Amino acid sequence: MSRRRSTTQPKARQHSRSSSRSRCPSSPPAPPRQIPPCPARRLRCGGGSRRTSPAPPGGSRRAPRAMAAPALCRRCGRPAGLWGLHRAPLLPPPPRRRAHERARRARGAAGLLAAQCERGLFQEVFPAQSAEEQLPALLEPGRPPLAAYCGFDPTADSLHVGHLLPVMALLHFQRAGHDVIAVVGGATARLGDPSGRERAREPLPAGRVRAHARALRAGLERLFGNHRELFWEPAAGRLGRAALLDNARWLGREPLLRFLGGAGGRLRMGTLLSRQSCQARLRSADGMSLAEFLYPALQAYDFLHLHQHHGCRIQLGGHDQMGNIMSGYELVTKMTGTDVFGITVPLITSTTGDKLGKTAGNAVWLNRDKTSPFELYQFFVRQQDNVVEKYLKLFTFLPLEEIAHIMEMHAKEPEKWGPQKRLAAEVTKLVHGREGLESAKRCTKALYYSSVEALEDMSDQELQELFRQATSAELMLEPGMTVLDLCRKANAIPDGPSGYRKITDGGVSINGHRVTNPETVLILGQHILKNGVSLLRVGKKNYYIIKWLQL
């Protein structure tokens, strides 16, 4: 897509329609008048002016193009046209309604698509022309809810931060009253998605895929449950239904010949071969296997099955999934004649530009046994100022006005890291619930603020999560036991004078407080916490968790 600067003033007749078409939908009636063009400039959609209509079953047509997420005029809130001009409604104006009804409908029409485009969550919408003409009306409140889906292949036993944006897209659809489906790819994970990969994935045994699929379903259930419990007010309206499915249920039962004769006969080889991911793999030394080549066809069949059995008309996915989404659109429209749509979300990358995930080795997992709430919290607290506002819009449900206020306060007091802490709190609460957030805060206070109270409140699990590399030891407290005795029984210092000097030189701390006298007798409540634990540190990074028996 390209930006084009208009070199001539648009003619006034482009805005000289009747008042019901030219004014912002929530404005009061006004006599016909010429409205000067909005000075805002927007990205031109890539869909062209030709309408895309469904081809007859078995037929073919030129693939429509994707468009950038539709932009709104900042002056009046209406959708901007191809060159930033206001679009006239494509349908005849509805009958007159009272003012409050007009305002409600205006907010709804601009609601889901416009809000998520403004937040940056919806990156591309496909196909451009029909989405531009139909989606705002289909998503309008008062219409029957649509169904949208996103797929998650169980190539690991946990979701990671890179999966959060597709989940957020599903949740925003659900918050708008639409039904959502999260599909775990128990069948497609056996093949491996070639998108964005330089070589084939290592094949996974069927048993491991099933175990991973169960873990992913549990993770998705936790995310949807935390959202419903902690982020949704019942008074806000209908929360759409959420369903968790596994494509092994239908792909595993589909006979090969019926699949090839049905779906396979509708997909064009030229289209599949033209995909960038396919061409890159075909040019590589290892080439591309037939199993990987057929992956887009199986994902397209997922869309067809969900459309036929669940009425699904929207597929969501990461930006690297656009090729697979286009294959699904082609298959569904050819076999059913129904217009369906695809929406992509941005990819989350590291500071070096690498996509976050298992393949790159930089995944931040959402399962507690792989990444603790404290580690997840700290990942977002450490985000730089140049991305934190973007992440607040993408990873939270905070209103844009509140985000703007948070950033204004940050400009005045940057040393408080207000946006980073709010971002970390919102994400940790969504992923791990309220208790997970409290756990992350306790660990933060214990580690970075030497809070004895936080250490005393920490559970054994939290201590192990916070100090994953720490050595654990169970000791009996003997009368007159000293700091030197503790360090030697825990094998934390060497025997002889060098270990003694390690303490006198200030290299040992207990519960966050440095101890320099080796002969100091251990005291309950100071060296031994109320929960029967002592946290011993020798040097900068060597931690020992001491559990005292029979206190």
Side-chain angles (χ1 to χ4, degrees), residues 468-536:
R468 288 187 183 275
Q469 306 302 321
T471 301
S472 295
E474 294 182 345
L475 301 178
M476 294 285 292
L477 180 61
E478 301 171 356
M481 193 171 185
T482 65
V483 171
L484 181 62
D485 296 332
L486 166 62
C487 292
R488 285 179 174 169
K489 287 181 179 293
N491 295 318
I493 60 173
D495 294 331
S498 61
Y500 195 92
R501 287 195 302 271
K502 175 75 74 173
I503 301 175
T504 58
D505 291 343
V508 172
S509 65
I510 300 177
N511 300 331
H513 297 285
R514 184 174 298 174
V515 181
T516 57
N517 184 0
E519 305 302 330
T520 299
V521 176
L522 300 180
I523 301 173
L524 286 171
Q526 179 180 345
H527 303 106
I528 302 174
L529 302 177
K530 290 186 298 183
N531 56 357
V533 170
S534 295
L535 180 64
L536 174 65

Side-chain angles (χ1 to χ4, degrees), residues 382-399:
R382 291 193 297 266
Q383 295 303 316
Q384 299 299 314
D385 285 353
N386 60 343
V387 299
V388 67
E389 182 177 7
K390 170 186 172 183
Y391 282 7
L392 280 169
K393 295 177 180 178
L394 293 176
F395 287 104
T396 78
F397 303 106
L398 298 176

Side-chain angles (χ1 to χ4, degrees), residues 377 420-430 437 441:
Y377 183 89
Q420 286 86 349
K421 291 179 180 178
R422 186 63 183 276
L423 169 67
E426 294 291 315
V427 176
T428 306
K429 185 165 66 170
L430 175 65
L437 174 58
K441 290 182 176 179

Side-chain angles (χ1 to χ4, degrees), residues 152-402:
F152 305 88
D153 275 355
T155 55
D157 59 355
S158 171
L159 299 169
H160 54 73
V161 166
H163 292 119
L164 265 184
L165 288 193
V167 172
M168 290 295 294
L170 288 174
L171 291 176
H172 279 292
F173 266 92
Q174 192 184 19
R175 292 166 71 88
H178 301 286
D179 300 328
V180 297
I181 305 169
V183 175
V184 176
T188 45
R190 300 285 303 277
L191 304 184
D193 186 358
S195 301
R197 296 186 59 87
E198 297 179 357
R199 58 183 62 87
R201 294 181 185 271
E202 291 294 328
L204 294 173
R208 187 184 301 177
V209 171
R210 286 193 295 270
H212 289 178
R214 287 193 297 269
L216 255 62
R217 285 197 297 272
L220 288 164
E221 287 175 355
R222 185 171 62 251
L223 287 169
F224 282 107
N226 287 341
H227 168 261
R228 183 175 58 253
E229 178 184 351
L230 303 174
F231 293 90
W232 182 252
E233 292 292 339
R238 177 185 185 268
L239 184 66
R241 295 190 300 268
L244 296 178
L245 303 177
D246 189 327
N247 63 13
R249 289 175 52 189
W250 54 86
L251 288 176
R253 302 171 183 173
E254 183 70 14
L256 176 62
L257 291 179
R258 189 168 71 184
F259 171 77
L260 292 177
R266 304 303 197 279
L267 295 173
R268 302 292 92 187
M269 285 287 295
T271 305
L272 295 175
L273 288 169
S274 67
R275 303 281 188 249
Q276 183 178 358
S277 59
C278 181
Q279 292 203 4
R281 289 293 304 280
L282 289 174
R283 290 193 297 266
S284 68
D286 294 337
M288 188 179 198
S289 68
L290 177 62
E292 289 181 290
F293 179 74
L294 289 176
Y295 183 95
L298 293 183
Q299 184 169 322
Y301 189 84
D302 284 347
F303 200 178
L304 176 65
H305 175 89
L306 294 172
H307 175 70
Q308 292 176 333
H309 293 84
H310 299 274
C312 185
R313 295 188 63 182
I314 299 173
Q315 181 180 176
L316 304 168
H319 189 58
D320 58 347
Q321 292 294 305
M322 179 54 83
N324 295 338
I325 291 174
M326 292 169 71
S327 297
Y329 165 85
E330 181 182 1
L331 180 61
V332 175
T333 53
K334 283 183 176 180
M335 295 196 71
T336 69
T338 305
D339 281 329
V340 293
F341 310 95
I343 299 176
T344 63
V345 299
L347 299 178
I348 300 301
T349 59
S350 65
T351 54
T352 60
D354 296 325
K355 176 184 173 183
L356 288 183
K358 178 175 68 72
T359 303
N362 57 5
V364 180
W365 303 100
L366 304 189
N367 278 15
R368 184 166 187 161
D369 59 347
K370 298 173 77 73
T371 299
S372 70
F374 166 76
E375 292 168 321
L376 179 68
Y377 183 89
Q378 289 299 320
F379 171 79
F380 284 99
V381 164
R382 291 193 297 266
Q383 295 303 316
Q384 299 299 314
D385 285 353
N386 60 343
V387 299
V388 67
E389 182 177 7
K390 170 186 172 183
Y391 282 7
L392 280 169
K393 295 177 180 178
L394 293 176
F395 287 104
T396 78
F397 303 106
L398 298 176
L400 294 181
E401 296 80 5
E402 186 173 351

